Amino acid sequence: CFGFPLSIFFIVINEFCERFSYYGMKAVLILYFKYFLHWEDNFATAIYHTFVALCYLTPLLGAIIADSWLGKFKTIVYLSIVYTIGQAVLSVGSINDLTDHNRDGSPDNVALHIALSMIGLILIALGTGGIKPCVSAFGGDQFEEDQEKQRRTFFSLFYLSINAGSLLSTIVTPNLRATECGIHTKQRCYPLAFGVPAILMAIALVVFVIGSKMYKKVKPQGNVMLQVSKCVGFAIKNRFQHRSKEFPKREHWLDWASEKYDKQLIAQTKMVLKVLFLYIPLPMFWALFDQQGSRWTLQATAMNGDFGILVQPDQMQIVNPILIVIMVPVVDYLVYPLIKKCKINFTPLKKMTVGMFLASMAFVAAALVQVQIDKTYPVFPTAGQTQVRLINLGAVPATVQFQPQLQSVDVAPNEATGYMTFETSKLKSLHITSASLSKTEPLELLEGKRYTLAFKWGLSSINSNLIWDNVTSKPEEGKSLIRFINNYPLPVNVTMNDMAFGVLSPLSVSNYSVIPNQKWSFLIKASMPLTTCTVLSKEFGYGSAYTISVDDCTKNTLNVTYFEDIAPNTVHMAWQIPQYFLLTCGEVVFSVTGLEFSYSQAPSNMKSVLQAGWLLTVAVGNIIVLIVAGASKLNKQWAEYVLFAALLLVVCIIFAIMASFYTYVDPNEIEAQFSEEKKEENKKEHNDNEKEAEADSQM
């Protein structure tokens, strides 16, 4: 088809569906841990990075199975089946109604959901990692030796399908997650967010199998990674066995393998190990890079996602692939040529050093954003403390004295104070003075709780109500909480759209309710004994809580007052773009250059060894996040960002020093030299054989 083997189109479609499946599932995974399984941030982050690390360890297993046993085709098919089952199990595990027998909106058997989720993720890691080293190589196998141009076009299409699948799924699945679904109670729709990737993976498998008869299937040739490992192992063993002084030293420790392995394999292994040694500092870069899907997504949950349309916290990850598409050509065709014109020798290892530095700066930017977010968080009482807020619902100002002689506060009409913190044991009562009236309110407060005292001036006394505010943290996922207080002298029945808040007697308060969309205006309706009044609400901010006072009615128009209990998210998600920009720039000059450098420095038959080493650095990077997140005793998230930035900066300096001692080689020249030597040996052997034959004939 247009000069291409028809089989490659099945492979490209398969890759698009598989990448959609993987990135779509991964985009919502951290929020699934936090909001469905209710794991705290550090534990959710640890499990997330354990999963990612496993996804980058299993390619080694996949490569060994394909090259040494099953071949690429069977390996892809069998592991894709495992992959599809894993996605399906994860989707089933996220169904709330599976164990919600009492229909209260929460799973009755959380352990079952956790078990299904972990089984699903392990199977997904085996599947996605196992087929990772096989699919692109299998696509390359479909071409003949004289189709180099078509092969290059295929790889361009292949990587385009990866980016298209990644970008599209990161837009789609967070929106699916944000919708509400359920049989008995409405919940965030994780089954759909995981179910669609499961369907796409099943499609990927079916499409790949349909093309079976068209594929060119190369038989397993043996795994070069095993050969290298055996060569290194034998050299170490042989050196250890001959460690006494009577055995002469050899130029390189790998030369101890010369008794069993030929010189060319040893020389090639030396080149590979030289590059792998440079890989040692690289995991630190990936430790920072992969936190886009964990810490940075959690950071976005405390931010304002209003871009005209609501952007979900997990959708901010699309900034990275979008910037990649923009930055790769900009860097290749503008930045690098400008550096070259300035006659700066910008070697691959220098580029990688700059990439690490930029990633470090990205986390400094993330820390600065986090500091601003922390300023918007409400401060809740600790052990031994109580917080009290005052709301004056009357028409005249009032003065409140916290007894015994702790604090005196003036409160204007229809105004509220902020929450004031007191030692619980010291605060005994409140004395309210308003106009010519006064009242003493005795207090029996609990430690670690928040209270609101609402009061108003009556005909002959001050009426008041001490309310326990049962919100202990800022609303998650950007949700908003609303409650009503009746400032009318008669009972009122309050509704807001289809949400019922019940009949409220004077000065009584409803429970908090979660509103479905903060960008809507809701119709507030108050039914009183003689009339019904309505008014459109204002738009509520993300992550906020409000008490709405129902005051009175004028010509069927309801008069209400808004009191802000918890401030909305004021830091916009757009402030994350600079940190994504810095990290993406770092990725462009680090990752792309690193792969190019690895390939240029590796022998032709050992590219896969360095590819495996590169994937291993990603796995180790995610393990580093586990260690730091687990061992770190830092209470502030910004401090953890600074810690990671500092660690990468130190590693960056170490890498720069290591790189300065590296000598670039041309593997082709070395291989040509060995090839020439082999020809000479063969020629000499041939001449010797001829001489022997001639001597034999003369005899």
Side-chain angles (χ1 to χ4, degrees):
C1 184
F2 302 108
F4 292 89
L6 189 60
S7 56
I8 67 142
F9 296 102
F10 292 95
I11 295 169
V12 169
I13 294 168
N14 165 272
E15 185 65 12
F16 169 81
C17 294
E18 188 275 326
R19 289 291 86 186
F20 185 107
S21 177
Y22 175 73
Y23 283 108
M25 173 276 305
K26 186 168 167 257
V28 302
L29 192 59
I30 191 74
L31 299 187
Y32 172 69
F33 291 159
K34 182 175 172 67
Y35 297 126
F36 185 86
L37 298 181
H38 300 293
W39 289 343
E40 57 93 24
D41 288 3
N42 280 351
F43 187 68
T45 300
I47 299 300
Y48 175 90
H49 287 283
T50 301
F51 167 70
V52 177
L54 195 57
C55 288
Y56 283 93
L57 285 172
T58 48
L60 299 175
L61 180 64
I64 291 169
I65 291 171
D67 291 343
S68 305
W69 180 29
L70 292 176
K72 297 184 188 76
F73 174 75
K74 286 184 179 178
T75 302
I76 294 168
V77 170
Y78 294 158
L79 290 179
S80 291
I81 293 169
V82 171
Y83 195 164
T84 307
I85 293 169
Q87 289 280 32
V89 170
L90 177 62
S91 181
V92 170
S94 66
I95 299 172
N96 178 69
D97 294 305
L98 191 66
T99 63
D100 186 15
H101 304 303
N102 59 5
R103 302 184 183 181
D104 64 349
S106 298
D108 298 336
N109 187 357
V110 179
L112 177 62
H113 292 274
I114 292 172
L116 287 172
S117 300
M118 293 305 102
I119 291 167
L121 288 174
I122 290 167
L123 294 176
I124 290 168
L126 285 170
T128 188
I131 68 175
K132 192 187 291 287
C134 302
V135 181
S136 59
F138 186 69
D141 288 345
Q142 306 309 304
F143 295 88
E144 303 298 333
E145 288 183 10
D146 60 348
Q147 290 184 301
E148 187 60 37
K149 184 181 176 183
Q150 289 92 332
R151 186 185 282 112
R152 281 200 303 271
T153 306
F154 159 72
F155 281 116
S156 297
L157 282 171
F158 186 81
Y159 289 113
L160 179 65
S161 71
I162 291 173
N163 288 310
S166 164
L167 186 61
L168 192 61
S169 65
T170 311
I171 295 169
V172 171
T173 54
N175 277 330
L176 297 177
R177 176 197 62 81
T179 60
E180 293 192 337
C181 62
I183 300 169
H184 306 305
T185 56
K186 297 300 179 185
Q187 303 281 337
R188 293 295 193 194
C189 206
Y190 290 103
L192 189 59
F194 291 138
V196 169
I199 292 167
L200 264 290
M201 192 56 225
I203 292 170
L205 174 59
V206 170
V207 167
F208 187 74
V209 172
I210 287 172
S212 174
K213 292 182 180 178
M214 303 179 195
Y215 298 138
K216 179 181 172 185
K217 300 167 188 172
V218 179
K219 290 183 179 179
Q221 302 294 315
N223 194 287
V224 72
M225 282 188 288
L226 292 177
Q227 287 182 312
V228 171
S229 301
K230 286 176 181 177
C231 179
V232 170
F234 181 78
I236 294 169
K237 180 184 172 184
N238 201 28
R239 176 69 185 93
F240 183 77
Q241 288 175 345
H242 301 85
R243 61 187 181 277
S244 63
K245 291 181 180 179
E246 62 185 87
F247 296 101
K249 287 186 177 180
R250 302 193 182 182
E251 189 178 343
H252 190 281
W253 63 271
L254 259 178
D255 293 330
W256 287 95
S258 57
E259 283 87 344
K260 189 174 180 181
Y261 296 92
D262 64 64
K263 288 181 181 179
Q264 186 169 350
L265 178 65
I266 292 169
Q268 289 172 333
T269 305
K270 285 178 185 177
M271 284 188 276
V272 166
L273 291 181
K274 197 177 174 185
V275 177
L276 289 177
F277 176 71
L278 278 178
Y279 279 5
I280 293 172
L282 304 192
M284 201 65 224
F285 174 88
W286 299 113
L288 277 69
F289 181 81
D290 278 335
Q291 288 187 59
Q292 291 176 90
S294 57
R295 291 299 199 200
W296 286 13
T297 299
L298 292 173
Q299 184 186 60
T301 61
M303 302 176 80
N304 182 354
D306 183 12
F307 286 83
I309 58 169
L310 178 61
V311 172
Q312 299 297 328
D314 33 358
Q315 279 181 318
M316 277 304 288
Q317 296 173 58
I318 67 169
V319 175
N320 176 252
I322 290 171
L323 286 175
I324 281 283
V325 172
I326 297 168
M327 293 308 299
V328 167
V330 168
V331 169
D332 282 346
Y333 298 109
L334 185 63
V335 177
Y336 288 161
L338 282 174
I339 291 171
K340 196 173 182 181
K341 277 190 176 181
C342 295
K343 296 182 179 178
I344 297 172
N345 184 22
F346 203 33
T347 62
L349 291 178
K350 286 178 182 176
K351 291 175 186 176
M352 292 172 70
T353 306
V354 170
M356 295 169 89
F357 176 77
L358 289 171
S360 176
M361 291 304 100
F363 266 63
V364 172
L368 294 174
V369 170
Q370 189 64 45
V371 168
Q372 297 306 312
I373 292 171
D374 288 351
K375 291 178 182 177
T376 68
Y377 284 142
V379 178
F380 289 91
T382 58
Q385 294 181 337
T386 300
Q387 290 181 338
V388 179
R389 181 180 67 151
L390 307 171
I391 296 180
N392 183 0
L393 297 173
V396 293
T399 300
V400 178
Q401 173 69 49
F402 290 86
Q403 303 285 7
Q405 302 298 316
L406 296 175
Q407 192 174 340
S408 183
V409 181
D410 295 324
V411 192
N414 284 318
E415 294 289 340
T417 66
Y419 283 96
M420 294 165 279
T421 304
F422 300 93
E423 288 186 39
T424 309
S425 59
K426 291 183 179 179
L427 184 57
K428 302 299 182 185
S429 64
L430 293 170
H431 184 71
I432 309 167
T433 306
S434 181
S436 59
L437 301 173
S438 64
K439 178 184 181 180
T440 298
E441 180 89 23
L443 300 175
E444 291 184 10
L445 306 175
L446 298 174
E447 291 184 6
K449 304 293 183 185
R450 278 183 156 196
Y451 295 89
T452 294
L453 180 73
F455 59 87
K456 66 183 295 186
W457 183 43
L459 293 174
S460 59
S461 63
I462 296 173
N463 301 319
S464 62
N465 183 17
L466 185 67
I467 307 150
W468 171 46
D469 299 339
N470 61 337
V471 177
T472 57
S473 64
K474 191 173 176 68
E476 295 179 325
E477 292 189 89
K479 293 175 183 175
S480 289
L481 301 174
I482 303 297
R483 67 178 178 179
F484 286 88
I485 185 168
N486 182 12
N487 190 25
Y488 198 70
L490 299 171
V492 294
N493 186 7
V494 181
T495 61
M496 193 166 82
N497 279 20
D498 58 351
M499 291 182 288
F501 290 84
V503 177
L504 305 177
S505 56
L507 277 189
S508 66
V509 180
S510 69
N511 292 324
Y512 279 109
S513 292
V514 178
I515 61 170
N517 193 322
Q518 298 91 325
K519 293 300 291 178
W520 290 351
S521 290
F522 297 87
L523 183 68
I524 302 174
K525 183 189 289 186
S527 299
M528 303 165 186
L530 299 176
T531 185
T532 297
C533 301
T534 60
V535 69
L536 279 176
S537 74
K538 71 172 192 174
E539 292 181 358
F540 302 102
Y542 301 98
S544 59
Y546 289 90
T547 297
I548 303 174
S549 168
V550 178
D551 297 328
D552 54 31
C553 185
T554 308
K555 295 180 180 179
N556 294 331
T557 299
L558 188 66
N559 297 316
V560 297
T561 307
Y562 297 90
F563 298 102
E564 189 179 85
D565 303 343
I566 295 175
N569 300 342
T570 53
V571 182
H572 202 277
M573 278 188 201
W575 284 107
Q576 279 197 319
I577 293 175
Q579 66 201 54
Y580 273 102
F581 175 75
L582 285 168
L583 193 64
T584 304
C585 290
E587 180 189 3
V588 169
V589 294
F590 176 88
S591 183
V592 176
T593 308
L595 286 169
E596 175 197 326
F597 165 76
S598 301
Y599 272 68
S600 70
Q601 298 298 292
S604 58
N605 65 332
M606 293 197 178
K607 307 288 188 191
S608 60
V609 178
L610 286 185
Q611 178 71 10
W614 184 264
L615 294 174
L616 193 60
T617 65
V618 182
V620 175
N622 282 273
I623 293 168
I624 289 171
V625 180
L626 299 183
I627 296 166
V628 174
S632 171
K633 301 300 179 186
L634 300 171
N635 293 322
K636 296 291 184 181
Q637 185 56 54
W638 67 263
E640 187 181 286
Y641 288 145
V642 171
L643 173 62
F644 273 108
L647 288 172
L648 183 56
L649 195 58
V650 170
V651 168
C652 176
I653 294 167
I654 294 168
F655 180 76
I657 295 167
M658 290 169 64
S660 66
F661 290 100
Y662 184 82
T663 306
Y664 291 84
V665 296
D666 185 351
N668 293 330
E669 279 186 16
I670 295 170
E671 286 178 356
Q673 187 180 335
F674 273 105
S675 180
E676 197 63 39
E677 285 178 7
K678 205 163 189 178
K679 281 181 184 177
E680 288 294 327
E681 285 178 10
N682 289 339
K683 190 177 178 182
K684 187 181 177 185
E685 190 178 338
H686 178 70
N687 291 337
D688 288 344
N689 289 338
E690 280 188 348
K691 285 178 182 178
E692 284 180 14
E694 190 179 334
D696 289 341
S697 64
Q698 286 175 358
M699 288 175 67

